[in-house]
Amino acid sequence: MNNHLDYNNFGQRTVLTIYAHADDEVLPAAGTLSLMSKAGWNVLCLILTDGSLSSSSIKGTRHQEADAAGKIIGANYEFHALEECNFSTQAVIKVAEEAIGRWHPDLIITHAPQPEKYGHRDHEVCAIAVSNVATRKNIPLWYSAPPVFLRDFEPNFFVDITSVIQEKVAAIGCYESEANKAFMQLDAILILSRFWARELGHKDGYFEAFEISRQWVDASFFTAIANSNKQVIKQDWLGI
């Protein structure tokens, strides 16, 4: 399996996100996943739990909401039924390894590691397990920004999602069963996206932030940059 990112050939690439709960994938990364889907990536979202502890008492609600969000951002979902607040790293490792064997992802995105005193226990267990698998399988790995707690999260990669911010808002809005949570509110979504823009010195626009844990590129990446720069220089010279 060829796991490096080929920036000349997005159409044959697969991104696999692995998150503890349905909605964890859209809060930090809906815009980025939408952009990847539009660029031809195969976007797969793996959800570890069945949402039995969600705000809705109707079984399967979170999965239905996730499917609706997936239609907006161009993602397909795979659901598992690990017990919320009680699953182990070994259980996640098994699920992740099986998924990797089926989908052969070129990139994995998951929770940023956050100590339990700052974040959600399930997020931390998921982050540890997925990091273990990605390292052993030699697969590029990005951590997405926590929706609330930013302690110890040091982003080094930012994606301009201004063009798809409405899609991000709509995807998050699909999770009506979780709408009462503060970080699901429209103002919270926009403020955090604007915060990352300001971190980059942008007065306008919306961004998502990631911490690249593992990444590599091949020679074609540098060729693409060189060709892109030549095109920009040519356009400037021609006054285009």
Side-chain angles (χ1 to χ4, degrees), residues 28 32 143-146 153 155-159 196 207-211:
T32 299
Y143 297 132
S144 60
F153 178 68
N156 50 25
F157 184 70
F158 300 81
V159 178
W196 295 125
F207 281 74
E208 289 174 342
F210 300 87
E211 183 177 342

Side-chain angles (χ1 to χ4, degrees), residues 30-41:
T32 299
L33 296 178
S34 178
L35 290 172
M36 296 179 86
S37 176
K38 293 177 187 298
W41 282 68

